Amino acid sequence: MSTYNKSKSTKRFQFSVSRNDTAKKAGSNTVTVATRPSEDSQYSVGQTALTMTVREAQALQSFLNDTLVSE
């Protein structure tokens, strides 16, 4: 069984990827973006998370790569 889990935190966000190449269950390959509680509450109140499939995250990545091109 091949599993992959990786995460990265910034001051405001927690990013994580969870993949299982042998699993065929829906939701077994996910990308999550969660807000981290802000000390000054300027940007986020509480915690909110967005979870998507790896395929959806790849579509988002493609959109961002096309849209955020520096000119």
Side-chain angles (χ1 to χ4, degrees), residues 11-12 36-46:
K11 183 177 178 181
R12 293 179 43 206
R36 297 183 67 203
S38 176
E39 290 179 15
D40 59 10
S41 298
Q42 182 177 358
Y43 296 108
S44 65
V45 177

Side-chain angles (χ1 to χ4, degrees), residues 4-22:
Y4 175 83
N5 294 300
K6 186 156 184 168
S7 63
K8 177 176 177 64
S9 292
T10 65
K11 183 177 178 181
R12 293 179 43 206
F13 296 98
Q14 169 76 30
F15 306 97
S16 62
V17 176
S18 177
R19 296 189 77 164
N20 183 341
D21 293 337
T22 60

